[in-house]
Structure formats: structure tokens, C-alpha cells
């Protein structure tokens, strides 16, 4: 079972997912439910807990965009704690959980995501919008359609992870000062 608990809040729903759930299984479940927010992240290997630590991203969406709260066990204080998204210090493939003073201190137990119940496709990355419109062929654009299109694009670019293992991207684009960029 992917979802432990879900609470509706108008046009959004909060979904609690265990840290050990395969992230793509969660993406599949959300898309099948018609929920918007994680469809662009489909196909990324790993678990839900790791997604919150790494701030995974793809096709113009980062997981921080849909995380509400990260629940953890604090090994130093020996107690359960939680971090609202604002406390996670999310950055490009970064979070408070990766900082040297916190690394290895917290075990993520579950993550609460805030998903949309109304259409909110994020198609501004690369040729995703055109690929989705081509796949829709005039039909309604749904989270499942976006997910399938993202998976198709990923499968055209990358080998099948069931035959060639993958830990996802392990590179990080450099961040440079403006003067270096302008030079």
C-alpha cells in the first residue's frame, strides 16, 4: 500500500507516504488517482525518504515543490521530529539533511506531500509540452498522460533500469558567482 493516510484540503490533498516506498510507485499511484504534482518526477529511481533528502528533480519540478513535512527519527536526541518544508533548507539537489552537522543524524520515516486535485500541468521544461500535446492528440491532459510521456522520454534517453541498474543522476551542475557566469 503506497499511501498511509490522505486528507483533503479543498483543491489539494495531503498524502503521507512511508520513507521506504519506491518513489515511482508513489508517482504511479498519484497519477492513477488523478492527483497533480509528482507526475514529472516519474521514473526516478529510489525511495520516498531519499527523495526528501536529495530534493530530486526532473522536467521542471523538484520534490520540494510538493513536500509539506518530512518526519524523522533523530538519532542524537532519540526522539521523533518533523521538519516543515521551510525548515528543510532545500536547494539544488540539497537539503538540511545533507549538511555536515546533520548528515547521518536523521532517519526519514515518512513524508507528507501536498498534491493538487485540479489540473496543474507543469510542462515548461524542454520539449515536454509538445510531447504531451502530441500524446494527448486533442484529448484531456491528465497526470497519467504526463507521467506516461515523461516515462517515454526517459526510456528513449536512458537504458531500461531493469536490465542496466541505475542510482539516478550522481552529478550536480556547478553553481558559480554571477561574475564568473558573465565572463
Amino acid at each position: 500500500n503506497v499511501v498511509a493516510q490522505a486528507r483533503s484540503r479543498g483543491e489539494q490533498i495531503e498524502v503521507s507516504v512511508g520513507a521506504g516506498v519506491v518513489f515511482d510507485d508513489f508517482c504511479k499511484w498519484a497519477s492513477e488517482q488523478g492527483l497533480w504534482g509528482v507526475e514529472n518526477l516519474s521514473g526516478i529511481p529510489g525511495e520516498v525518504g531519499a527523495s526528501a533528502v536529495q530534493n530530486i528533480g526532473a522536467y521542471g519540478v523538484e520534490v520540494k515543490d510538493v513536500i509539506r513535512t518530512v518526519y524523522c527519527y533523530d538519532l542524537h536526541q532519540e526522539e521523533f521530529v518533523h521538519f516543515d518544508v521551510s525548515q528543510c533548507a532545500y536547494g539544488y539537489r540539497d537539503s538540511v539533511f545533507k549538511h555536515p552537522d546533520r548528515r547521518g543524524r536523521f532517519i526519514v520515516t515518512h513524508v507528507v506531500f501536498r498534491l493538487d486535485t485540479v489540473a496543474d500541468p507543469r510542462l515548461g521544461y524542454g520539449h515536454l509540452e509538445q510531447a504531451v500535446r502530441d500524446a494527448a492528440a486533442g484529448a484531456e491532459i491528465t497526470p497519467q498522460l504526463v507521467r506516461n510521456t515523461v516515462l517515454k522520454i526517459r526510456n528513449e534517453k536512458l537504458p531500461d533500469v531493469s536490465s542496466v541498474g541505475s542510482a539516478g543522476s550522481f552529478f550536480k551542475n556547478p553553481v558559480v558567482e554571477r561574475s564568473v557566469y558573465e565572463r
Side-chain angles (χ1 to χ4, degrees), residues 19 49 52-53 69-75 77-84 88 90 95-97 102 105-112:
V53 171
T69 312
V70 179
Y71 288 83
C72 305
Y73 184 75
D74 182 337
L75 293 168
Q77 299 298 320
E78 297 182 344
E79 64 184 6
F80 289 96
V81 297
H82 68 276
F83 296 84
D84 289 335
C88 292
Y90 281 123
S95 74
V96 70
F97 308 108
R102 302 264 178 114
R105 176 176 174 177
F106 299 99
I107 298 171
V108 177
T109 59
H110 62 285
V111 180
V112 174

Side-chain angles (χ1 to χ4, degrees), residues 27-36 39 42 132 135 140-151:
C27 294
K28 180 179 186 226
W29 175 88
S31 295
E32 289 171 346
Q33 303 305 308
L35 300 172
W36 293 91
E39 61 281 352
S42 294
V132 167
E140 178 185 6
I141 295 174
T142 65
Q144 186 67 51
L145 178 72
V146 175
R147 171 181 161 73
N148 290 342
T149 304
V150 165
L151 290 173

Side-chain angles (χ1 to χ4, degrees), residues 14-25:
E14 292 179 359
V15 179
S16 178
V17 185
V21 170
V22 172
F23 190 80
D24 190 55
D25 288 350

Side-chain angles (χ1 to χ4, degrees), residues 6 13 37 40 53 57 65 71 87 127 134 158-159 177:
I13 186 169
N40 292 41
V53 171
D65 300 330
Y71 288 83
Q87 297 172 303
H127 70 283
D134 290 348
L158 303 167
E177 294 182 21

Side-chain angles (χ1 to χ4, degrees), residues 157-172:
K157 291 181 178 182
L158 303 167
D160 181 2
V161 295
S162 64
S163 60
V164 178
S166 172
S169 302
F170 54 89
F171 64 88
K172 186 173 178 181

